[in-house]
Amino acid sequence: MSAHLIASEADAANCEPGADPTHAWPSLEAVLQKPLSLPRWVGWRLKAMATIVVVAMAGVLLLAHWLAGQPRFPFSLAVTPTGEVRLDTADYPPLRPLEGKTLQALGIDHGMADAHPALVAPIPPLALFPSGRWLLDEDGLQRFIAGHVGLSNALDNWSPNGVAVRLQLKGHPDAPILIAPRGWAGITPVYWVLAALSLVVASMGAMVLLSNADWRYGGYALLAVTQAGNLLLMALESNLGLFTPTWLLTLDTSLRALFDLLGAAGLVHIALLNATPGPNWGFKAAAAWLSALAMWALHSSLSAAQGWWLLQLGCGGLALCAIGVTFTEQARSPNPLHLLMRRVLLIGMLTWSLLSLAVWLTRERPDLNLEISTWGVAGWQAFVTSMVLIAPYFSRTRQVQREFMLLAASGTVAASLDLLFVAVFSMGQLASMAISLMLSMGLYLSFRRWLLARLPRPDSLSMEKVFQQIYRIARQIEVQPESACPAMSRLMRDLFDPLDVMVAQGHLSQVTLDQDGGLMLVPVPSLTASTHARRTVLVVKHARRGQHLFTRDDCALAQRIVEQLQRALSFDQAVEQGRSEERLRIAQDLHDDIGARLLTLMYQAPTPEIEEYIRHTIQDLKTLTRGLAAHTHCLTQAAGEWKRDISHRLNVARCELDWQMKLEREIGLNVVQWSALTRILRELVSNTISHAQARRVQVSLSLQGGTLRLVVCDDGVGTAPETWSHGLGLGGVRKRVKQLGGNVRWSTLAPHGVCCEVEIPNFAGACPEDQIEHAPGQASGHASH
């Protein structure tokens, strides 16, 4: 985002009254550098997404149809610590007494069930492995492939009607069984769960790519496809077992290696995508993808151990590159996405290292190696899949994200420790699991507070303080409508502690999130609810000083604040409208009733002096009613009326007025300010006329630095102010000055006289331009009468 597109809070605060500050603000589309309206699932996006989902579902059903025609063992097998294969559990009732017996080979009959076996297929322990991806011993890999090749050769004449098989058991007569096709009912729930999860993950990658319509998001889409492929292969292998075809075994080993390397390259791609755009972005991403493909092509020409270590170190190296990118970008430009991705990558890197170490340490123990290759890899895939699924929704809800990440990390650490204890210390499964859970829970409880402090946490600002700020902002906007943006910016900073708050022109109906929770767009309330008036938006960037993302909870909180502030402004407008109508009614009644009576008395006055006095009283009444009916008063216009009123009263009392006024700028007075200042001046002049016996009164009115000073001095015979008894008059003056937020002080003058000084700091308001243009007099001047 270029600097000339950004409008700071200070820019909004320094807008001159009467000017339109929105001309200095960029548009919201320019700040976001993309159209305001998010892409909708209509048109080609919807058609493409529907096509992808339908094709993927059709593929899952076709694989299930093929799987239904494959043979199924009515029992399960396990590997003993001595490297023998035994019957574990049996679904076939005649075989249940044989559970725990050692199985040496299968005798395949192509005729009657009691005929002599036509072919004997030995079952090595490594044949039970679901995949050859995690076998690092060359001889072991060859035995793994040979075992499945023998079974495939034995079932060359496989008939959908079934085949007779004799189980050759150690120390026990052969047990004949009939192996029939699996059928749709024989497909285990594991297949449907993993296939459905694979479909969801692939759809998520397609949805992110289509919704952004940018090839750069292909890295996440490809990462999702690799995880979906791994899940689908696991779903097939969980049902095939010993009868996995040789072509599928070869394809599985190659595809899993490719998926792991491409997934690691996808992490580098995503880290670069969230980094600051640079000229070499495409070259770095391409280098990661080409490195993954080169390592995949090289690994097939190496021995099993060398190829396995190449894959493990290659995936780890690419993940470290992604972590390095997040570290560099966080130091250059703080971003919560970098922190979040770095933590997830570090947890994944630790788990990957523990899993690789456990597989390498148990290479001489087929039973332990089988457990780790089956359940350890399944746990790892579940962890990675969950991260891929939750990544687009990091900004949805804070509580679910925090607890999910902590529990996922604890469960992954527990599974890794369990496998490591079994591999290194040859512990029993129950003891190893108990110790692993105890240690992982201990680590979780020990570091939970530290971890929560670095994950999105509840807001530190209490709701009471938020309410107080909303009330103050509403009062401030009423006096200075142009202060809405700076006031709302301060509230957003206090509430979310963002990295930056920008002001932009745009219209939003409600608070929304952008850039995966990196930005929160907050519409600024205004005094009027019209569409034209609500065209200012705050772009709040990165919560907690760039440490966290904005969540849906943050969005809901900001929306409630905007709604409450708008209600407060609407309520105050309604109250002020009622007050204005009541003042207008009172002014109308005074003009129609009291004015008419005074006019009658003026024409019936017995002397010219009384007639002149009533005439000036009528003029004062007109000034009062005009002030009550007006919403705002310019200070120069109000000062002119005050001067005329004081001049008339002092002339009657045969007293001279010295009027001085100096204003640095024109301001507007609301009804409260105008009424208070009018009554303060009236009361001070009345006291001078009634008690001081003065011959000269000096009134000085000045406005400098936002502070209003009113000084009234006389040359009368008044006594020391400390001896006065404060009645309703002086008490009223103090009360009205305090209402305006100022203070008042009386003092004596030499050789005689009394001076009253009223000082009101932060006395400011906005005077409408039409009143300023027609205001009589100048902003500063000196007059004597």
Side-chain angles (χ1 to χ4, degrees):
M1 232 175 285
S2 56
H4 70 279
L5 294 177
I6 299 175
S8 65
E9 181 181 339
D11 297 333
N14 294 331
C15 290
E16 293 295 332
D20 185 5
T22 60
H23 291 312
W25 295 335
S27 65
L28 185 59
E29 291 83 355
V31 172
L32 299 179
Q33 295 184 346
K34 64 179 181 180
L36 176 60
S37 57
L38 297 177
R40 298 179 179 178
W41 286 103
V42 294
W44 68 271
R45 289 186 178 87
L46 182 60
K47 295 178 182 178
M49 190 67 199
T51 302
I52 291 173
V53 172
V54 170
V55 170
M57 292 179 64
V60 170
L61 293 177
L62 286 175
L63 286 177
H65 176 73
W66 174 80
L67 190 61
Q70 300 304 305
R72 171 181 176 270
F73 266 146
F75 53 83
S76 62
L77 302 176
V79 179
T80 64
T82 58
E84 297 178 329
V85 178
R86 63 178 176 84
L87 290 177
D88 190 21
T89 58
D91 297 333
Y92 189 50
L95 293 180
R96 288 176 183 169
L98 302 178
E99 291 179 355
K101 302 297 182 180
T102 300
L103 178 63
Q104 294 178 327
L106 292 180
I108 309 299
D109 265 345
H110 301 301
M112 299 300 296
D114 57 350
H116 185 73
L119 182 62
V120 175
I123 301 180
L126 293 179
L128 273 61
F129 277 66
S131 171
R133 162 67 179 86
W134 291 85
L135 290 176
L136 53 82
D137 180 62
E138 184 67 30
D139 294 336
L141 182 61
Q142 295 300 326
R143 292 195 301 271
F144 166 76
I145 297 175
H148 284 278
V149 169
L151 289 173
S152 298
N153 293 334
L155 294 175
D156 280 342
N157 295 325
W158 160 256
S159 171
N161 296 324
V163 61
V165 174
R166 292 181 178 272
L167 304 182
Q168 295 185 0
L169 304 173
K170 184 178 180 180
H172 196 278
D174 295 350
I177 60 171
L178 180 66
I179 298 180
R182 180 179 301 276
W184 284 88
I187 299 177
T188 63
V190 175
Y191 172 82
W192 298 112
V193 172
L194 293 177
L197 188 58
S198 172
L199 182 62
V200 170
V201 174
S203 301
M204 180 65 68
M207 183 177 65
V208 170
L209 180 60
L210 292 176
S211 62
N212 291 278
D214 190 340
W215 66 269
R216 295 179 300 172
Y217 289 88
Y220 175 82
L222 189 55
L223 176 62
V225 169
T226 59
Q227 298 310 310
N230 276 325
L231 291 172
L232 198 58
L233 289 174
M234 290 171 58
L236 289 174
E237 293 158 357
S238 66
N239 283 263
L240 290 172
L242 285 176
F243 295 131
T244 304
T246 307
W247 63 268
L248 182 57
L249 285 175
T250 305
L251 184 64
D252 168 84
T253 303
S254 181
L255 283 180
R256 286 208 179 195
L258 179 63
F259 289 160
D260 288 343
L261 289 170
L262 291 181
L267 295 178
V268 179
H269 185 106
I270 295 173
L272 291 171
L273 181 64
N274 291 320
T276 304
N280 298 324
W281 182 92
F283 293 103
K284 294 177 182 178
W289 293 112
L290 292 176
S291 299
L293 293 175
M295 285 186 284
W296 177 69
L298 179 61
H299 113 280
S300 59
S301 62
L302 301 175
S303 63
Q306 293 174 343
W308 187 85
W309 279 113
L310 176 65
L311 292 177
Q312 302 304 107
L313 295 177
C315 293
L318 290 172
L320 287 176
C321 290
I323 295 173
V325 171
T326 60
F327 269 103
T328 303
E329 289 302 320
Q330 183 64 19
R332 180 186 305 171
S333 175
N335 191 319
L337 284 173
H338 299 151
L339 287 177
L340 193 58
M341 185 175 182
R342 187 174 67 197
R343 291 163 188 163
V344 173
L345 287 176
L346 287 173
I347 294 175
M349 189 67 188
L350 175 62
T351 307
W352 178 264
S353 301
L354 290 174
L355 182 61
S356 302
L357 181 61
V359 172
W360 180 72
L361 291 175
T362 59
R363 64 190 184 279
E364 303 296 337
R365 290 282 304 274
D367 56 331
L368 298 180
N369 204 259
L370 176 61
E371 293 288 335
I372 295 173
S373 300
T374 303
W375 302 111
V377 174
W380 160 257
Q381 292 295 341
F383 171 73
V384 175
T385 302
S386 62
M387 289 295 102
V388 172
L389 284 177
I390 202 174
Y393 300 100
F394 275 136
S395 61
R396 298 296 178 181
T397 173
R398 172 181 294 121
Q399 190 64 30
V400 172
Q401 175 188 341
R402 293 164 66 216
E403 298 301 329
F404 176 84
M405 291 186 66
L406 289 177
L407 291 176
S410 300
T412 305
V413 171
S416 302
L417 290 175
D418 178 34
L419 297 174
L420 193 60
F421 288 153
V422 172
V424 177
F425 303 107
S426 301
M427 290 185 178
Q429 191 64 39
L430 183 60
S432 175
M433 184 180 298
I435 295 176
S436 301
L437 289 175
M438 182 179 65
L439 288 177
S440 62
M441 290 303 297
L443 292 173
Y444 169 74
L445 295 176
S446 301
F447 292 96
R448 185 176 185 273
R449 184 178 298 275
W450 180 82
L451 290 172
L452 290 180
R454 283 153 180 80
L455 291 174
R457 59 183 183 272
D459 303 317
S460 58
L461 196 62
S462 66
M463 288 299 102
E464 180 181 359
K465 294 182 179 179
V466 172
F467 179 78
Q468 293 175 355
Q469 290 202 31
I470 292 175
Y471 181 79
R472 285 196 296 268
I473 290 174
R475 301 287 81 76
Q476 186 177 357
I477 293 177
E478 287 179 356
V479 178
Q480 295 177 288
E482 72 276 7
S483 66
C485 288
M488 282 293 293
S489 297
R490 286 192 297 270
L491 179 57
M492 293 296 106
R493 291 184 186 277
D494 293 340
L495 195 60
F496 300 109
D497 191 22
L499 191 64
D500 192 16
V501 178
M502 297 173 287
V503 183
Q505 297 184 58
H507 176 66
L508 285 179
S509 58
Q510 61 182 3
V511 180
T512 57
L513 297 181
D514 198 88
Q515 296 185 7
D516 298 325
L519 299 180
M520 184 167 63
L521 311 179
V522 182
V524 179
S526 62
L527 287 173
T528 58
S530 63
T531 303
H532 177 73
R534 297 186 62 184
R535 296 187 60 83
T536 309
V537 178
L538 295 182
V539 182
V540 189
K541 181 180 179 182
H542 301 333
R544 307 299 174 199
R545 306 304 300 170
Q547 299 291 315
H548 298 148
L549 293 170
F550 291 106
T551 65
R552 291 296 182 187
D553 298 335
D554 297 330
C555 186
L557 175 59
Q559 180 64 32
R560 288 195 294 270
I561 289 175
V562 172
E563 292 173 354
Q564 292 298 327
L565 184 56
Q566 189 64 53
R567 288 194 189 100
L569 294 174
S570 302
F571 175 77
D572 290 340
Q573 281 185 300
V575 172
E576 184 59 32
Q577 182 179 359
R579 290 175 178 172
S580 300
E581 293 175 354
E582 186 63 18
R583 287 194 298 267
L584 183 61
R585 186 190 65 79
I586 294 174
Q588 190 69 42
D589 291 345
L590 289 175
H591 180 274
D592 295 343
D593 296 339
I594 307 301
R597 294 182 183 224
L598 289 175
L599 186 63
T600 302
L601 289 176
M602 185 184 69
Y603 288 118
Q604 296 178 355
T607 63
E609 290 80 6
I610 295 177
E611 180 182 353
E612 185 66 18
Y613 182 81
I614 295 176
R615 188 184 305 276
H616 283 292
T617 303
I618 292 176
Q619 185 65 32
D620 293 341
L621 181 63
K622 288 183 178 179
T623 301
L624 176 63
T625 55
R626 189 165 55 249
L628 289 174
H631 293 283
T632 58
H633 307 261
C634 285
L635 183 54
T636 53
Q637 184 177 2
E641 295 178 352
W642 296 334
K643 179 182 176 182
R644 287 193 297 270
D645 176 63
I646 295 173
S647 297
H648 167 68
R649 298 180 65 193
L650 291 178
N651 282 337
V652 174
R654 295 181 176 84
C655 186
E656 183 182 355
L657 172 64
D658 181 7
W659 178 272
Q660 299 180 5
M661 184 174 67
K662 186 176 182 180
L663 308 179
E664 63 178 4
R665 62 187 177 94
E666 179 64 283
I667 64 171
L669 304 178
N670 57 35
V671 175
V672 175
Q673 293 171 326
W674 175 85
S675 176
L677 290 175
T678 300
R679 282 160 176 76
I680 289 171
L681 276 171
R682 283 178 180 269
E683 182 60 33
L684 293 177
V685 172
S686 297
N687 286 339
T688 300
I689 295 174
S690 301
H691 307 293
Q693 301 177 10
R695 294 303 177 186
R696 183 181 181 87
V697 175
Q698 183 178 2
V699 179
S700 174
L701 180 67
S702 66
L703 177 67
Q704 291 184 347
T707 300
L708 181 73
R709 294 186 76 252
L710 174 64
V711 181
V712 180
C713 301
D714 63 67
D715 57 355
V717 295
T719 59
E722 57 269 14
T723 64
W724 294 350
S725 59
H726 294 270
L728 293 177
L730 297 181
V733 172
R734 292 183 183 276
K735 179 179 179 181
R736 290 185 174 94
V737 172
K738 184 178 180 181
Q739 181 184 14
L740 296 177
N743 47 68
V744 60
R745 183 174 63 90
W746 281 273
S747 60
T748 56
L749 298 176
H752 48 76
V754 176
C755 183
C756 177
E757 298 181 33
V758 176
E759 183 174 316
I760 306 173
N762 300 324
F763 189 89
C767 185
E769 292 183 2
D770 56 346
Q771 292 191 16
I772 294 176
E773 293 173 358
H774 297 90
Q778 300 297 325
S780 63
H782 181 280
S784 299
H785 178 71

